[in-house]
Amino acid sequence: LAIHVNFLLSSEDRDDTNSYEPDSKFKVVVEEAKAPRYLLYDVNPGEGFNLRRDVYMRIAVLVQNLNDAAPWILVLPPWSRLYHWKSQDVGSQDMIPWSTFFDLPSLRKFVPVMEFEDFLKINREPVIDELYYLQNYKEGWDKWEEKMDKRPCIMNPYNFDSKNKLWYGWFFGYNDEVAARKFECISVMGHASIFKPFLLTNTSARSVMLDRAETVLHDRYGDSVFWKVRRSMRFSKQLRDVADAYRKLHLNSTDEEDKTVLDDDWINMKRNHGDARGGAYLAVHLRRADFAKVREKDVPSLKYAAKQIKKLSKQQELKHIFVATDAPLEEYNELKKYLKDYKVHRYEPSFEVKKKYKDGAVAIIDQWICAHARYFVGTKESTFSFRIQDEREILGFSPDTTFNRLCHEKDKTCEQPTRWLISY
Ligand code: GFB
């Protein structure tokens, strides 16, 4: 399929409409050469980067399932204007391709994917054939059952242009250029692959987009397929290199010493718990900003966070503390004040790095540094912390050093995160 994708990218005058009736000998050939179809998706605009990564996994598994029956390519939704990307001095943070953040050849070892820009190049016009807006059932539900139905829209952010008979909307920030030919709402309760029969038999459109794709669940959370797609989501080499250089310079941490060397191909990489040692630092993901307001009961005060960090560093006999946080500088400085007996580090990107790779990349660099620490402690229910935990599972850390979180001062039980252990 990877070869197929490359072929498609260079073919400009493809015509897949079979205008003749193939005889039986021919039929096999025609069907084998069937042109691929394209699945696009988008997510609720308010969602952050790491929940979006989770939705990618759900859709990638659906596309892998579709490929059992017919060739489908997942079109990656460009990254545009995420709520948490606040830097003003880095130029546009719109329409960022996936290759800025992720290693596409690695993704393609799980499922055929293509950038949206490439899809636009090979599509004859900037029009998506069918667009479905996913929603819940208006009446709510008493018992959970797998179902989907075309329903009137509860909410509809798309507009119909009656002159050219096309639907316009956000389309990842390409709102002036891209449109859809058909638009409908679907109420759905179920796993992502509930769409498999629908996409294979109820529509023959070449390109289909599912908006609000977070509405569907993972087919199976935590099984080996889940971990395959997760393992395929390697960060781009350029960002890993920046993070590795920081680790080496400031934290004296290298893969060879710390036993975190990556195999070139994730498919061959299998680690046992405890194989990885990690750099001699304790990493903290301290989620603040909107999270501290929305989840006030879960986020400790800076003073109480520092108290927990100190205790853990002492237990682990670590003198260096790496802090990944979205806190403003004053808050970070306050935290540092409480940790004055330790060497506290925060990744500060150079202006060049920030301008080139933007806020999304700085967050990835923070995650990668946290993933390589000897001990990690995160924030309750932050998907940013969850993704660091997965990364550490992939690298082969002992779960005791990974599934830890800070607690609010009033949280007396301080229950630690569920251990979602890797499965091969
Ligand atoms: O990734 P994310 O979905 O995690 O969203 P949560 C948080 C975003 O904030 C990240 C920035 O993608 C980053 O852009 N951010 C958070 C950080 N922590 C750090 C950090 O340590 N370093 C850097 N550089 N950036 C949910 C959101 O966030 O929180 C929801 O998905 C909602 O939309 C909810 O806002 C309250 O799961 O933590």
Side-chain angles (χ1 to χ4, degrees):
L1 277 166
I3 294 164
H4 210 42
V5 175
N6 291 338
F7 160 73
L8 277 166
L9 289 176
S10 58
S11 128
E12 279 167 14
D13 52 358
R14 223 167 6 86
D15 186 359
D16 55 285
T17 46
N18 297 316
S19 52
Y20 56 89
E21 195 56 44
D23 66 33
S24 59
K25 199 171 94 231
F26 229 77
K27 199 168 176 183
V28 178
V29 178
V30 169
E31 281 186 359
E32 274 175 2
K34 225 187 220 167
R37 298 169 68 193
Y38 302 93
L39 189 71
L40 300 94
Y41 75 96
D42 202 1
V43 177
N44 181 17
E47 297 299 348
F49 189 77
N50 289 290
L51 182 99
R52 286 167 187 269
R53 284 173 70 186
D54 192 73
V55 178
Y56 165 81
M57 290 170 60
R58 303 176 210 180
I59 301 302
V61 172
L62 164 64
V63 174
Q64 199 200 44
N65 277 332
L66 289 169
N67 271 285
D68 290 342
W72 280 78
I73 296 175
L74 197 171
V75 181
L76 300 164
W79 302 92
S80 275
R81 258 186 261 164
L82 293 195
Y83 165 79
H84 304 95
W85 295 348
K86 303 240 191 255
S87 295
Q88 301 290 334
D89 54 351
V90 296
S92 160
Q93 304 216 49
D94 285 332
M95 300 175 214
I96 301 176
W98 273 58
S99 58
T100 305
F101 301 139
F102 295 98
D103 183 56
L104 262 51
S106 205
L107 297 183
R108 289 196 181 110
K109 284 182 187 150
F110 181 77
V111 81
V113 297
M114 117 188 335
E115 299 276 17
F116 186 64
E117 281 283 347
D118 291 328
F119 167 76
L120 290 180
K121 278 183 209 144
I122 61 164
N123 216 23
R124 282 185 216 101
E125 42 177 353
V127 176
I128 297 162
D129 294 332
E130 295 183 2
L131 165 64
Y132 297 99
Y133 192 73
L134 311 191
Q135 56 186 16
N136 294 320
Y137 282 84
K138 196 176 179 186
E139 64 276 21
W141 52 284
D142 304 325
K143 86 172 162 55
W144 200 88
E145 56 184 321
E146 289 266 323
K147 58 178 182 176
M148 56 182 279
D149 297 281
K150 286 189 185 164
R151 285 284 183 90
C153 297
I154 302 168
M155 210 189 88
N156 175 8
Y158 293 91
N159 303 306
F160 185 62
D161 180 338
S162 51
K163 216 164 80 199
N164 53 17
K165 299 200 169 20
L166 290 174
W167 289 87
Y168 287 89
W170 167 244
F171 292 115
F172 326 107
Y174 289 74
N175 33 347
D176 295 333
E177 299 161 48
V178 174
R181 192 164 283 117
K182 178 180 164 186
F183 171 83
E184 280 181 298
C185 285
I186 293 184
S187 289
V188 57
M189 190 190 308
H191 301 93
S193 290
I194 196 175
F195 274 94
K196 181 176 176 181
F198 174 82
L199 292 168
L200 291 177
T201 53
N202 294 45
T203 164
S204 58
R206 284 293 308 286
S207 52
V208 180
M209 174 164 164
L210 304 177
D211 195 355
R212 298 299 302 263
E214 77 284 358
T215 315
V216 290
L217 308 172
H218 281 283
D219 281 3
R220 279 184 302 276
Y221 196 87
D223 72 353
S224 61
V225 177
F226 171 96
W227 278 102
K228 264 193 188 137
V229 57
R230 177 62 186 83
R231 285 153 66 209
S232 75
M233 288 194 91
R234 279 200 175 165
F235 292 133
S236 62
K237 172 97 170 59
Q238 56 203 13
L239 299 185
R240 283 187 274 132
D241 285 349
V242 176
D244 290 344
Y246 179 92
R247 284 169 52 214
K248 189 168 179 191
L249 186 65
H250 297 276
L251 299 161
N252 196 22
S253 163
T254 61
D255 288 336
E256 290 73 20
E257 280 283 309
D258 303 341
K259 302 196 167 38
T260 50
V261 176
L262 278 189
D263 291 7
D264 288 343
D265 186 340
W266 60 264
I267 293 177
N268 301 327
M269 181 163 159
K270 290 199 173 93
R271 297 284 181 270
N272 294 311
H273 286 125
D275 283 353
R277 187 163 169 263
Y281 58 99
L282 180 132
V284 188
H285 173 230
L286 184 71
R287 180 80 160 86
R288 301 285 301 174
D290 55 324
F291 212 84
K293 294 188 195 94
V294 179
R295 293 177 181 257
E296 212 185 331
K297 291 200 185 86
D298 295 331
V299 178
S301 66
L302 294 168
K303 196 169 182 182
Y304 194 62
K307 193 174 167 191
Q308 296 170 77
I309 295 167
K310 267 198 280 195
K311 191 174 164 197
L312 292 168
S313 303
K314 211 165 158 191
Q315 272 170 10
Q316 300 297 320
E317 299 177 0
L318 294 168
K319 274 289 183 198
H320 289 263
I321 297 168
F322 177 78
V323 182
T325 184
D326 56 346
L329 190 60
E330 316 82 77
E331 289 188 3
Y332 173 66
N333 286 338
E334 185 186 333
L335 181 85
K336 252 171 81 171
K337 217 173 63 197
Y338 301 129
L339 296 169
K340 59 180 179 325
D341 296 335
Y342 293 85
K343 293 200 173 65
V344 183
H345 307 260
R346 181 184 195 178
Y347 171 66
E348 310 271 4
S350 68
F351 182 68
E352 288 70 33
V353 167
K354 216 167 156 189
K355 194 150 171 93
K356 188 164 173 198
Y357 301 122
K358 326 281 176 182
D359 288 336
V362 175
I364 286 173
I365 293 165
D366 267 346
Q367 285 184 310
W368 193 246
I369 300 169
C370 288
H372 288 76
R374 193 151 305 162
Y375 192 93
F376 172 69
V377 57
T379 296
K380 185 180 179 186
E381 279 167 24
S382 164
T383 54
F384 192 103
S385 293
F386 290 156
R387 297 292 82 81
I388 294 169
Q389 291 168 353
D390 317 331
E391 211 69 64
R392 294 176 63 86
E393 277 295 291
I394 294 168
L395 289 170
F397 280 95
S398 154
D400 291 344
T401 70
T402 292
F403 295 95
N404 309 296
R405 70 167 176 95
L406 297 172
C407 298
H408 190 274
E409 30 276 73
K410 289 201 180 128
D411 179 359
K412 294 297 170 222
T413 53
C414 193
E415 199 181 312
Q416 293 300 299
T418 307
R419 296 184 170 207
W420 292 107
L421 303 184
I422 196 162
S423 160
Y424 292 103

